[in-house]
Amino acid sequence: MDEGKAVEQLTEEEAAAALAALAAEIARHDRAYHLNDAPEIDDAAYDALRRRNAAIEARFPALVREDSPSSRVGAAPSEAFVKARHDVPMLSLSNVFSAEEAAEFDARVRRFLGLAPEAPLAYTAEPKIDGLSLSLRYESGRLEVAATRGDGETGETVTRNALTLADIPERIENAPALLEVRGEVYMSHADFAALNARMAESGGKTFANPRNAAAGSLRQLDPAVTASRPLRFFAYAWGAASEPLAATQFDAVKRLGAFGFPVNPMMKRCESVEALLAHYREIDSRRATLGYDIDGVVYKVDDLALQARLGFRSNNPRWATAHKFAAEKAETVLDAIEIQVGRTGALSPVARLRPVTVGGVVVSNATLHNEDYIAGRGAKGEPIRDGKDLRVGDTVTVYRAGDVIPKVIDVDLSRRPEGAAPYVFPKTCPACGSPAVREEGEAVRRCTGALACPAQALEKLKHFVSRAAFDIEGLGAKQVEAFWADGWVKTPADIFRLESRYGEGLQQLKNREGWGETSARNLFRAIAEKRRIGFDRLLFGLGVRHVGETSALTLARAYGDWPGFIAAMDAAAPMEGEAWEHLLAIDGVGKVMAAALVGFFSEEHNRKVVDDLIPELEILPVAAAAKESPVSGKTVVFTGTLEKMTRAEAKARAEALGAKVSGSVSAKTDILVAGPGAGSKLKEAQKHGVEVLDEEGWLALIGG
Ligand code: IVH
């Protein structure tokens, strides 16, 4: 066969031979590159091979081989793309599931802005596209970087792939010098069906739904493969922009349309909650005939100045929410009830279901919450499912709303098999055999084995490496499980000793199933990188009960440095006295969390684990940005009437700048912001010599 022959001129026989040769050759280069770290050809030559392969496949779909290079995404797909940091984070949306919740969203927005219920306030409403989000960075009108969302802060660069989409222009005219256009990559139903048919015909793997197909197609090593996949794009938002696009959301999106991006024709301006809900129903009624998947309607405050005032709360903008479509249901058989032991020892029953498709997704597991739920009792002992219990063999109704874990919401007693016995919830831990106890007033039964329980210890480790904690690339739940099973990693500190213990010459790790020289090297590098870790991430990673991401951040800000924090926890251990009171005085820390914290750090085994870990790390204070603010770490109290903003807004802005907002004045208060009508708090502040500012003074301090 002539290697250089144009694809258009190949006969079927030549094409088959070419595909066979290319498959073997590309596989050889993959091995050379990924496993042996010794590439024989440069990237351009390699790309050319893959492109030629994809082009031949596109012309002769029936010849696509089972071992086709395009169905394989290199050796490690996610690491193949260069990381791209988003200057403006890519956020997710809060959800509402009913008209009432939509009205509450509007009420929340109004309260925050200090708007009366009848004051005019416009929103936009548009379909929520079920695809994957993409950020497109244009500099001087030219697409420089396309990046996936990733964790919201850092995504993967997919620029060349994005450029293969007809909906994504390489150049845009009359745009700001810098503009990040954001939107959704998706696949239409018809294109999805055709793609799957093509994949099935060639013996390849098919995709479960259009969203997976879109994601799999965009995240390809070879742009030629992406090019052969029918992807589309809707623009609906923007990130960094060197100048404002417009004064309203509606007009800004219209401008994105004018730049040449497809924008959704069903976006509408609505002047009331009633109008939002009417448009929601309209979109819902057209859902089946749209030709692409949507999973709700997004509501956004229209006025961009108001959006800026509303700002964000952790990962969600306050100015937008997604009104999700009603959940979908299906009937299936409950095959088994299994008990999982979580990192806090909670015994969680899981339903193993005969696989069933619910709203396009195959469901084979559902949560059963706790023993009362199985027995047909709710949180307050009230009957649920009319008090019907669940038994293995039952025909049940499963319910799935969006990405939420499916639930078993009903059972058909008329189809209960004869002899089906009531489920008996275990009274001992299935992992370690320790007694599992249920405390007064609690629905959850917990294993008492603590770290002696392998299930708890393992779950704790998985939590330690999870995204919001240490987030070590290449060390996920699966790898932790494998290292655990071999005794390589028993405690967090072991992770940081992996290299010194097992890394020599990479031999030991390299010889493990699933590891090669490159991945071993990468793992050690990723672990080393995380030796420098934020106080809040460390604290969250330890998995103290009731201490979530936000609380960990609050505590880190309140205590500032790790040794000081540990000393404070020790001092608070008697659960009385100054240190204890100080802990309780932190906004957002209640008695339950405080008790969990001091309990955790005074428990001997935990303490050993922590003391063993700390010398491996360099603990950084929280977010540098917050540090630079003139009010970071300060305790601020607002009192009296504020005229430029509502109390909620003032609090949110102060917290965003790293301040702690408290409801009462004490000697620990740093600043009292007093508006007209201030009374007892002002006196109290004067008594303690606390700095007092009026609203103007406060705004001047924080920079307007
Ligand atoms: S706005 C700051 N509008 O939904 C908020 N998002 O759960 C930016 N999505 O990650 C998002 N359709 O991938 C927005 N019309 C739409 C959307 C939409 C789909 C996705 C997007 C985002 C996720 C949020």
Side-chain angles (χ1 to χ4, degrees), residues 313-486:
R313 193 192 146 72
S314 63
N315 265 332
N316 304 325
R318 285 195 193 83
W319 44 265
T321 197
H323 188 165
K324 292 290 192 80
F325 292 129
E328 315 231 15
K329 300 177 198 172
E331 267 189 351
T332 188
V333 175
L334 175 60
D335 276 337
I337 296 175
E338 280 175 20
I339 303 290
Q340 290 179 346
V341 185
R343 78 184 150 84
T344 58
L347 267 48
S348 309
V350 177
R352 299 289 177 218
L353 303 165
R354 207 151 294 171
V356 61
T357 306
V358 191
V361 172
V362 179
V363 170
S364 50
N365 302 310
T367 172
L368 293 173
H369 303 289
N370 53 54
E371 56 193 286
D372 284 353
Y373 190 85
I374 299 175
R377 286 188 303 268
K380 298 185 189 85
E382 78 283 7
I384 52 170
R385 298 182 303 265
D386 297 329
K388 292 176 280 190
D389 71 334
L390 299 175
R391 303 185 184 184
V392 172
D394 271 341
T395 298
V396 296
T397 306
V398 265
Y399 160 109
R400 185 189 139 260
D403 306 331
V404 184
I405 306 169
K407 288 185 191 182
V408 173
I409 53 155
D410 205 2
V411 49
D412 184 352
L413 291 185
S414 72
R415 286 148 82 185
R416 175 166 284 173
E418 203 137 326
Y423 180 73
V424 183
F425 204 89
K427 305 287 182 295
T428 54
C429 172
C432 72
S434 304
V437 300
R438 185 171 165 182
E439 279 175 20
E440 186 73 31
E442 280 223 18
V444 178
R445 194 171 280 280
R446 280 176 209 282
C447 161
T448 52
L451 283 157
C453 170
Q456 282 192 54
L458 179 57
E459 290 307 313
K460 275 200 196 310
L461 274 173
K462 288 190 200 164
H463 172 79
F464 183 83
V465 300
S466 66
R467 260 230 164 119
F470 274 67
D471 189 23
I472 298 172
E473 214 178 313
L475 191 64
K478 221 176 68 200
Q479 291 80 5
V480 167
E481 252 167 46
F483 287 143
W484 164 270
D486 288 357

Side-chain angles (χ1 to χ4, degrees), residues 583-607:
L583 177 57
L584 285 178
I586 297 170
D587 215 30
V589 177
K591 273 222 168 75
V592 175
M593 193 200 297
L597 275 163
V598 298
F600 181 92
F601 288 103
S602 51
E603 206 273 323
E604 200 181 337
H605 186 283
N606 289 336
R607 203 42 186 265

Side-chain angles (χ1 to χ4, degrees), residues 89-95 126-134 149 182-184 235-237 249 264 295 298 300 312 315-317 319-320 322 324:
M90 291 180 80
L91 303 164
S92 51
L93 293 168
S94 61
N95 294 319
E126 72 205 56
K128 181 167 189 295
I129 317 298
D130 196 8
L132 71 152
S133 45
L134 186 68
R149 176 167 185 271
R182 291 181 176 174
E184 203 84 350
Y236 51 66
Q249 175 75 29
N264 197 285
D295 57 349
V298 183
K300 299 173 184 168
F312 309 94
N315 265 332
N316 304 325
W319 44 265
K324 292 290 192 80

Side-chain angles (χ1 to χ4, degrees), residues 343 460 462-471 533-553 555-556 562 565 597 600-601:
R343 78 184 150 84
K460 275 200 196 310
K462 288 190 200 164
H463 172 79
F464 183 83
V465 300
S466 66
R467 260 230 164 119
F470 274 67
D471 189 23
I533 191 82
F535 181 157
D536 52 323
R537 279 182 176 257
L538 165 63
L539 178 55
F540 175 69
L542 293 179
V544 183
R545 255 184 93 189
H546 307 294
V547 179
E549 264 176 90
T550 313
S551 320
L553 190 60
L555 288 160
W562 185 263
F565 168 68
L597 275 163
F600 181 92
F601 288 103

Side-chain angles (χ1 to χ4, degrees), residues 51-190:
R51 260 202 310 279
R52 182 169 170 83
N53 184 74
I56 300 176
E57 286 182 349
R59 200 176 147 224
F60 298 99
L63 296 182
V64 175
R65 301 166 56 87
E66 198 157 328
D67 63 348
S68 160
S70 17
S71 62
R72 269 181 298 118
V73 185
S78 57
E79 285 163 49
F81 298 108
V82 180
K83 295 260 132 91
R85 246 196 103 74
H86 305 299
D87 284 346
V88 178
M90 291 180 80
L91 303 164
S92 51
L93 293 168
S94 61
N95 294 319
V96 299
F97 291 94
S98 63
E100 292 72 45
E101 288 180 10
E104 277 165 28
F105 163 71
D106 171 63
R108 241 186 347 264
V109 168
R110 287 172 184 276
R111 263 200 310 279
F112 192 95
L113 295 170
L115 291 177
E118 59 288 348
L121 178 62
Y123 292 93
T124 57
E126 72 205 56
K128 181 167 189 295
I129 317 298
D130 196 8
L132 71 152
S133 45
L134 186 68
S135 184
L136 304 166
R137 188 180 171 96
Y138 288 86
E139 290 170 22
S140 309
R142 216 181 97 99
L143 179 64
E144 295 295 339
V145 181
T148 61
R149 176 167 185 271
D151 63 4
E153 280 174 25
T154 310
E156 287 171 348
T157 309
V158 289
T159 316
R160 290 200 298 155
N161 293 358
L163 277 171
T164 69
L165 271 72
D167 288 344
I168 295 179
E170 185 171 3
R171 293 188 159 278
I172 54 178
E173 305 280 331
N174 305 320
L178 168 66
L179 177 64
E180 279 175 9
V181 176
R182 291 181 176 174
E184 203 84 350
V185 174
Y186 68 101
M187 198 179 277
S188 76
H189 291 155

